[in-house]
Amino acid sequence: MFMIVAPIFLVIFIGYFFGRLRPDSGLSDKLINDYVLYIALPALLFLAIARADISELQQWGFIAATLAGICVVYVLGILAAKIMGIGLPQSSILSMGACYGTTGYMGVPILIAVYGESAALPAAIATILHNIPAIMAVIITYDIFSTRQSGGRISINQSFVGALKTTLSNPLTISVIAGLIFVCFGIPVPMFLQTFAEFLGNAAGPTALFALGLGLSRLKVKEHINGEALKLAMPMLLLKLGIQPLITFICAYYLFGMQQTNSIWLITAIVMAAQPIGAGVYVFANKYGFKQEIISFSIIISLLIALVTIPTILQLLPA
C-alpha cells in the first residue's frame, strides 16, 4: 500500500522543492492554486455528484459518522485550548486545526488513485462535509465572541447568515450544489459537459498535490520551533490524526455497520478523517491574527506524520 500512495506524496514533495528552488514564483503559485480551487476540483466534484443516482447519496451512516468525528474533536479542541489558557474565540482556530483536513487537495487524489472512480462520489460528499462545519463554526465563533469582547453585540442569526454566505460562495460548495441540482431533478449530464468536466477534473489530483507542496514551501517555521509551538501543536496533531479517524471509525463500524454494505463509504469516511491539517486553517489564523507561525508548523508536522499514518490506515482497511 505504501508503494501505491508513495507517488502521491512525491508530487507534494516536488511542489515543495520547486517552491524552495523558485522563491520568486509567488504569482505562479496563486495561479496554480486558483486553477485547482476554481476550475479543476469543482469540475471533479460536480461530475462525481451529477452522475450519481439519488439513492447513492442517501448515506446517512456515512454523513453521521463523518460529522460526529468533526464535532467531537472540535469540542475537544476547545477544551484542550481552555486547559492551556486559551479562551474563545482564539481557541476556535485550534479546534479548526483539529478537525479540518486536506480533503480536497490530498484526500480526493489519494482515494481515487487507490480505489478508482468508485471513490469519487463519497470523496466529493466528504469534502463538503469537512469544509462547511469547520469554516462556519470559526466564522460564527469569531463574529460573536470578538464582538462581545469589544463591547458590541451581534445576533447568532446575523453571524450565521454571514458565515453561510462565505461558505456558499466557496467554489467547491457551488460545484456540489450544481451537481445536486442535476441529481435531484433527474437531469442527464450532456455528453459535451461530461467530457469537458472530465478533461478538467483529470488534472485536479496532481495539480492539487503540487499546489499543496508549493504552499508548504512558503511557510517559514524553523525560527518558530520552540516549547510553546510544540505545546499548542501536540493537541491538534493528536486530535486530527488520531482521535478524529478513531471516532469516525467507531461510529461508522459499530454504530452504523457500514462495513456490511458500504465498504468504499466506510473507507472514505476514515481516510478523509485521517487527513493532515488543511492549509485553510492557516488562512483563518492569518485572517484573525492568531499564532500563524505555530499553525504553519503544525500543518507541516501533520503532513510528515501522515506519510506513515495514511498508508497504514489504507493497509488495515478492507479492499
PDB file of all heavy atoms in Angstrom, residues 213-239:
ATOM      1  N   GLY A 213       2.163  21.242  -2.118  1.00  0.00           N
ATOM      2  CA  GLY A 213       3.607  21.312  -1.868  1.00  0.00           C
ATOM      3  C   GLY A 213       4.141  22.725  -1.992  1.00  0.00           C
ATOM      4  O   GLY A 213       4.963  23.168  -1.178  1.00  0.00           O
ATOM      5  N   LEU A 214       3.676  23.449  -3.006  1.00  0.00           N
ATOM      6  CA  LEU A 214       4.081  24.850  -3.177  1.00  0.00           C
ATOM      7  C   LEU A 214       3.710  25.685  -1.954  1.00  0.00           C
ATOM      8  O   LEU A 214       4.517  26.476  -1.454  1.00  0.00           O
ATOM      9  CB  LEU A 214       3.403  25.443  -4.412  1.00  0.00           C
ATOM     10  CG  LEU A 214       4.073  25.269  -5.776  1.00  0.00           C
ATOM     11  CD1 LEU A 214       3.204  25.890  -6.851  1.00  0.00           C
ATOM     12  CD2 LEU A 214       5.463  25.883  -5.795  1.00  0.00           C
ATOM     13  N   GLY A 215       2.481  25.485  -1.482  1.00  0.00           N
ATOM     14  CA  GLY A 215       2.027  26.239  -0.322  1.00  0.00           C
ATOM     15  C   GLY A 215       2.872  25.963   0.908  1.00  0.00           C
ATOM     16  O   GLY A 215       3.226  26.876   1.659  1.00  0.00           O
ATOM     17  N   LEU A 216       3.220  24.706   1.105  1.00  0.00           N
ATOM     18  CA  LEU A 216       4.026  24.340   2.260  1.00  0.00           C
ATOM     19  C   LEU A 216       5.428  24.939   2.177  1.00  0.00           C
ATOM     20  O   LEU A 216       6.031  25.277   3.194  1.00  0.00           O
ATOM     21  CB  LEU A 216       4.125  22.808   2.360  1.00  0.00           C
ATOM     22  CG  LEU A 216       2.825  22.084   2.727  1.00  0.00           C
ATOM     23  CD1 LEU A 216       3.024  20.578   2.641  1.00  0.00           C
ATOM     24  CD2 LEU A 216       2.360  22.469   4.121  1.00  0.00           C
ATOM     25  N   SER A 217       5.950  25.092   0.960  1.00  0.00           N
ATOM     26  CA  SER A 217       7.302  25.639   0.795  1.00  0.00           C
ATOM     27  C   SER A 217       7.372  27.101   1.202  1.00  0.00           C
ATOM     28  O   SER A 217       8.459  27.623   1.482  1.00  0.00           O
ATOM     29  CB  SER A 217       7.759  25.478  -0.658  1.00  0.00           C
ATOM     30  OG  SER A 217       7.076  26.380  -1.512  1.00  0.00           O
ATOM     31  N   ARG A 218       6.230  27.779   1.230  1.00  0.00           N
ATOM     32  CA  ARG A 218       6.211  29.205   1.581  1.00  0.00           C
ATOM     33  C   ARG A 218       6.064  29.439   3.085  1.00  0.00           C
ATOM     34  O   ARG A 218       6.199  30.569   3.552  1.00  0.00           O
ATOM     35  CB  ARG A 218       5.055  29.917   0.860  1.00  0.00           C
ATOM     36  CG  ARG A 218       5.028  29.725  -0.636  1.00  0.00           C
ATOM     37  CD  ARG A 218       6.336  30.042  -1.308  1.00  0.00           C
ATOM     38  NE  ARG A 218       6.226  29.945  -2.765  1.00  0.00           N
ATOM     39  CZ  ARG A 218       7.258  29.801  -3.569  1.00  0.00           C
ATOM     40  NH1 ARG A 218       8.481  29.749  -3.065  1.00  0.00           N
ATOM     41  NH2 ARG A 218       7.087  29.714  -4.873  1.00  0.00           N
ATOM     42  N   LEU A 219       5.754  28.383   3.826  1.00  0.00           N
ATOM     43  CA  LEU A 219       5.582  28.539   5.265  1.00  0.00           C
ATOM     44  C   LEU A 219       6.943  28.518   5.958  1.00  0.00           C
ATOM     45  O   LEU A 219       7.703  27.575   5.815  1.00  0.00           O
ATOM     46  CB  LEU A 219       4.687  27.411   5.811  1.00  0.00           C
ATOM     47  CG  LEU A 219       3.282  27.325   5.213  1.00  0.00           C
ATOM     48  CD1 LEU A 219       2.527  26.145   5.817  1.00  0.00           C
ATOM     49  CD2 LEU A 219       2.505  28.614   5.439  1.00  0.00           C
ATOM     50  N   LYS A 220       7.244  29.557   6.706  1.00  0.00           N
ATOM     51  CA  LYS A 220       8.526  29.657   7.398  1.00  0.00           C
ATOM     52  C   LYS A 220       8.333  29.253   8.861  1.00  0.00           C
ATOM     53  O   LYS A 220       7.692  29.955   9.625  1.00  0.00           O
ATOM     54  CB  LYS A 220       9.053  31.088   7.317  1.00  0.00           C
ATOM     55  CG  LYS A 220       9.298  31.547   5.880  1.00  0.00           C
ATOM     56  CD  LYS A 220       9.741  32.999   5.832  1.00  0.00           C
ATOM     57  CE  LYS A 220       9.954  33.446   4.391  1.00  0.00           C
ATOM     58  NZ  LYS A 220      10.376  34.867   4.310  1.00  0.00           N
ATOM     59  N   VAL A 221       8.901  28.112   9.209  1.00  0.00           N
ATOM     60  CA  VAL A 221       8.634  27.595  10.556  1.00  0.00           C
ATOM     61  C   VAL A 221       9.884  27.345  11.393  1.00  0.00           C
ATOM     62  O   VAL A 221       9.787  27.190  12.607  1.00  0.00           O
ATOM     63  CB  VAL A 221       7.828  26.266  10.462  1.00  0.00           C
ATOM     64  CG1 VAL A 221       6.489  26.492   9.810  1.00  0.00           C
ATOM     65  CG2 VAL A 221       8.612  25.201   9.692  1.00  0.00           C
ATOM     66  N   LYS A 222      11.057  27.308  10.782  1.00  0.00           N
ATOM     67  CA  LYS A 222      12.262  26.922  11.520  1.00  0.00           C
ATOM     68  C   LYS A 222      12.485  27.795  12.745  1.00  0.00           C
ATOM     69  O   LYS A 222      12.810  27.308  13.835  1.00  0.00           O
ATOM     70  CB  LYS A 222      13.483  26.985  10.603  1.00  0.00           C
ATOM     71  CG  LYS A 222      13.563  25.850   9.596  1.00  0.00           C
ATOM     72  CD  LYS A 222      14.852  25.931   8.805  1.00  0.00           C
ATOM     73  CE  LYS A 222      14.939  24.775   7.810  1.00  0.00           C
ATOM     74  NZ  LYS A 222      16.181  24.839   7.007  1.00  0.00           N
ATOM     75  N   GLU A 223      12.318  29.111  12.562  1.00  0.00           N
ATOM     76  CA  GLU A 223      12.593  30.014  13.666  1.00  0.00           C
ATOM     77  C   GLU A 223      11.518  29.984  14.735  1.00  0.00           C
ATOM     78  O   GLU A 223      11.660  30.623  15.779  1.00  0.00           O
ATOM     79  CB  GLU A 223      12.754  31.454  13.140  1.00  0.00           C
ATOM     80  CG  GLU A 223      11.522  32.015  12.452  1.00  0.00           C
ATOM     81  CD  GLU A 223      11.484  31.748  10.952  1.00  0.00           C
ATOM     82  OE1 GLU A 223      12.020  30.705  10.519  1.00  0.00           O
ATOM     83  OE2 GLU A 223      10.906  32.570  10.229  1.00  0.00           O
ATOM     84  N   HIS A 224      10.435  29.241  14.492  1.00  0.00           N
ATOM     85  CA  HIS A 224       9.325  29.219  15.447  1.00  0.00           C
ATOM     86  C   HIS A 224       9.175  27.859  16.152  1.00  0.00           C
ATOM     87  O   HIS A 224       8.178  27.627  16.816  1.00  0.00           O
ATOM     88  CB  HIS A 224       8.018  29.579  14.741  1.00  0.00           C
ATOM     89  CG  HIS A 224       8.066  30.911  14.054  1.00  0.00           C
ATOM     90  ND1 HIS A 224       8.101  32.100  14.731  1.00  0.00           N
ATOM     91  CD2 HIS A 224       8.111  31.220  12.736  1.00  0.00           C
ATOM     92  CE1 HIS A 224       8.159  33.104  13.865  1.00  0.00           C
ATOM     93  NE2 HIS A 224       8.158  32.598  12.648  1.00  0.00           N
ATOM     94  N   ILE A 225      10.151  26.981  15.966  1.00  0.00           N
ATOM     95  CA  ILE A 225      10.098  25.681  16.642  1.00  0.00           C
ATOM     96  C   ILE A 225      10.613  25.868  18.067  1.00  0.00           C
ATOM     97  O   ILE A 225      11.805  26.072  18.300  1.00  0.00           O
ATOM     98  CB  ILE A 225      10.947  24.629  15.900  1.00  0.00           C
ATOM     99  CG1 ILE A 225      10.419  24.447  14.476  1.00  0.00           C
ATOM    100  CG2 ILE A 225      10.932  23.298  16.647  1.00  0.00           C
ATOM    101  CD1 ILE A 225      11.266  23.482  13.639  1.00  0.00           C
ATOM    102  N   ASN A 226       9.722  25.834  19.024  1.00  0.00           N
ATOM    103  CA  ASN A 226      10.089  26.014  20.425  1.00  0.00           C
ATOM    104  C   ASN A 226       9.068  25.305  21.309  1.00  0.00           C
ATOM    105  O   ASN A 226       8.151  24.647  20.809  1.00  0.00           O
ATOM    106  CB  ASN A 226      10.177  27.500  20.777  1.00  0.00           C
ATOM    107  CG  ASN A 226       8.922  28.262  20.353  1.00  0.00           C
ATOM    108  OD1 ASN A 226       7.799  27.810  20.586  1.00  0.00           O
ATOM    109  ND2 ASN A 226       9.115  29.421  19.714  1.00  0.00           N
ATOM    110  N   GLY A 227       9.224  25.471  22.599  1.00  0.00           N
ATOM    111  CA  GLY A 227       8.333  24.791  23.534  1.00  0.00           C
ATOM    112  C   GLY A 227       6.888  25.201  23.387  1.00  0.00           C
ATOM    113  O   GLY A 227       5.985  24.363  23.456  1.00  0.00           O
ATOM    114  N   GLU A 228       6.643  26.488  23.164  1.00  0.00           N
ATOM    115  CA  GLU A 228       5.270  26.957  23.020  1.00  0.00           C
ATOM    116  C   GLU A 228       4.626  26.360  21.768  1.00  0.00           C
ATOM    117  O   GLU A 228       3.460  25.946  21.790  1.00  0.00           O
ATOM    118  CB  GLU A 228       5.227  28.482  22.919  1.00  0.00           C
ATOM    119  CG  GLU A 228       3.809  29.032  22.799  1.00  0.00           C
ATOM    120  CD  GLU A 228       3.771  30.506  22.459  1.00  0.00           C
ATOM    121  OE1 GLU A 228       4.850  31.092  22.217  1.00  0.00           O
ATOM    122  OE2 GLU A 228       2.660  31.069  22.427  1.00  0.00           O
ATOM    123  N   ALA A 229       5.400  26.303  20.680  1.00  0.00           N
ATOM    124  CA  ALA A 229       4.869  25.745  19.434  1.00  0.00           C
ATOM    125  C   ALA A 229       4.488  24.286  19.616  1.00  0.00           C
ATOM    126  O   ALA A 229       3.416  23.847  19.178  1.00  0.00           O
ATOM    127  CB  ALA A 229       5.898  25.897  18.316  1.00  0.00           C
ATOM    128  N   LEU A 230       5.359  23.522  20.247  1.00  0.00           N
ATOM    129  CA  LEU A 230       5.070  22.102  20.471  1.00  0.00           C
ATOM    130  C   LEU A 230       3.879  21.919  21.406  1.00  0.00           C
ATOM    131  O   LEU A 230       3.053  21.026  21.199  1.00  0.00           O
ATOM    132  CB  LEU A 230       6.308  21.407  21.049  1.00  0.00           C
ATOM    133  CG  LEU A 230       7.504  21.283  20.099  1.00  0.00           C
ATOM    134  CD1 LEU A 230       8.717  20.742  20.842  1.00  0.00           C
ATOM    135  CD2 LEU A 230       7.162  20.382  18.923  1.00  0.00           C
ATOM    136  N   LYS A 231       3.779  22.790  22.412  1.00  0.00           N
ATOM    137  CA  LYS A 231       2.676  22.688  23.368  1.00  0.00           C
ATOM    138  C   LYS A 231       1.330  22.895  22.685  1.00  0.00           C
ATOM    139  O   LYS A 231       0.352  22.192  22.987  1.00  0.00           O
ATOM    140  CB  LYS A 231       2.866  23.728  24.470  1.00  0.00           C
ATOM    141  CG  LYS A 231       1.756  23.734  25.520  1.00  0.00           C
ATOM    142  CD  LYS A 231       1.985  24.847  26.537  1.00  0.00           C
ATOM    143  CE  LYS A 231       0.830  24.935  27.529  1.00  0.00           C
ATOM    144  NZ  LYS A 231       1.012  26.034  28.510  1.00  0.00           N
ATOM    145  N   LEU A 232       1.246  23.835  21.747  1.00  0.00           N
ATOM    146  CA  LEU A 232      -0.003  24.089  21.043  1.00  0.00           C
ATOM    147  C   LEU A 232      -0.247  23.096  19.913  1.00  0.00           C
ATOM    148  O   LEU A 232      -1.390  22.766  19.606  1.00  0.00           O
ATOM    149  CB  LEU A 232       0.000  25.517  20.481  1.00  0.00           C
ATOM    150  CG  LEU A 232      -0.079  26.649  21.497  1.00  0.00           C
ATOM    151  CD1 LEU A 232      -0.004  27.997  20.799  1.00  0.00           C
ATOM    152  CD2 LEU A 232      -1.359  26.558  22.313  1.00  0.00           C
ATOM    153  N   ALA A 233       0.836  22.641  19.294  1.00  0.00           N
ATOM    154  CA  ALA A 233       0.689  21.748  18.137  1.00  0.00           C
ATOM    155  C   ALA A 233       0.275  20.336  18.544  1.00  0.00           C
ATOM    156  O   ALA A 233      -0.516  19.693  17.824  1.00  0.00           O
ATOM    157  CB  ALA A 233       1.995  21.700  17.341  1.00  0.00           C
ATOM    158  N   MET A 234       0.789  19.847  19.655  1.00  0.00           N
ATOM    159  CA  MET A 234       0.558  18.447  20.026  1.00  0.00           C
ATOM    160  C   MET A 234      -0.920  18.085  20.169  1.00  0.00           C
ATOM    161  O   MET A 234      -1.361  17.054  19.654  1.00  0.00           O
ATOM    162  CB  MET A 234       1.321  18.114  21.307  1.00  0.00           C
ATOM    163  CG  MET A 234       2.828  18.009  21.124  1.00  0.00           C
ATOM    164  SD  MET A 234       3.299  16.834  19.823  1.00  0.00           S
ATOM    165  CE  MET A 234       2.731  15.299  20.539  1.00  0.00           C
ATOM    166  N   PRO A 235      -1.728  18.907  20.864  1.00  0.00           N
ATOM    167  CA  PRO A 235      -3.160  18.559  20.942  1.00  0.00           C
ATOM    168  C   PRO A 235      -3.827  18.515  19.574  1.00  0.00           C
ATOM    169  O   PRO A 235      -4.639  17.623  19.299  1.00  0.00           O
ATOM    170  CB  PRO A 235      -3.745  19.681  21.817  1.00  0.00           C
ATOM    171  CG  PRO A 235      -2.606  20.208  22.592  1.00  0.00           C
ATOM    172  CD  PRO A 235      -1.418  20.086  21.688  1.00  0.00           C
ATOM    173  N   MET A 236      -3.493  19.471  18.701  1.00  0.00           N
ATOM    174  CA  MET A 236      -4.066  19.465  17.354  1.00  0.00           C
ATOM    175  C   MET A 236      -3.687  18.202  16.595  1.00  0.00           C
ATOM    176  O   MET A 236      -4.526  17.569  15.939  1.00  0.00           O
ATOM    177  CB  MET A 236      -3.597  20.698  16.569  1.00  0.00           C
ATOM    178  CG  MET A 236      -4.408  21.947  16.804  1.00  0.00           C
ATOM    179  SD  MET A 236      -4.031  23.249  15.591  1.00  0.00           S
ATOM    180  CE  MET A 236      -2.348  23.630  16.043  1.00  0.00           C
ATOM    181  N   LEU A 237      -2.418  17.839  16.651  1.00  0.00           N
ATOM    182  CA  LEU A 237      -1.936  16.664  15.930  1.00  0.00           C
ATOM    183  C   LEU A 237      -2.593  15.391  16.454  1.00  0.00           C
ATOM    184  O   LEU A 237      -3.001  14.520  15.676  1.00  0.00           O
ATOM    185  CB  LEU A 237      -0.420  16.558  16.052  1.00  0.00           C
ATOM    186  CG  LEU A 237       0.384  17.698  15.407  1.00  0.00           C
ATOM    187  CD1 LEU A 237       1.863  17.588  15.772  1.00  0.00           C
ATOM    188  CD2 LEU A 237       0.207  17.691  13.899  1.00  0.00           C
ATOM    189  N   LEU A 238      -2.711  15.280  17.769  1.00  0.00           N
ATOM    190  CA  LEU A 238      -3.327  14.096  18.367  1.00  0.00           C
ATOM    191  C   LEU A 238      -4.799  13.997  17.977  1.00  0.00           C
ATOM    192  O   LEU A 238      -5.280  12.919  17.587  1.00  0.00           O
ATOM    193  CB  LEU A 238      -3.186  14.152  19.888  1.00  0.00           C
ATOM    194  CG  LEU A 238      -3.849  13.006  20.667  1.00  0.00           C
ATOM    195  CD1 LEU A 238      -3.242  11.659  20.267  1.00  0.00           C
ATOM    196  CD2 LEU A 238      -3.732  13.228  22.167  1.00  0.00           C
ATOM    197  N   LEU A 239      -5.495  15.117  18.055  1.00  0.00           N
ATOM    198  CA  LEU A 239      -6.926  15.112  17.727  1.00  0.00           C
ATOM    199  C   LEU A 239      -7.151  14.864  16.235  1.00  0.00           C
ATOM    200  O   LEU A 239      -8.016  14.070  15.859  1.00  0.00           O
ATOM    201  CB  LEU A 239      -7.561  16.440  18.132  1.00  0.00           C
ATOM    202  CG  LEU A 239      -7.719  16.681  19.638  1.00  0.00           C
ATOM    203  CD1 LEU A 239      -8.090  18.127  19.914  1.00  0.00           C
ATOM    204  CD2 LEU A 239      -8.764  15.744  20.230  1.00  0.00           C
TER     205      LEU A 239
END
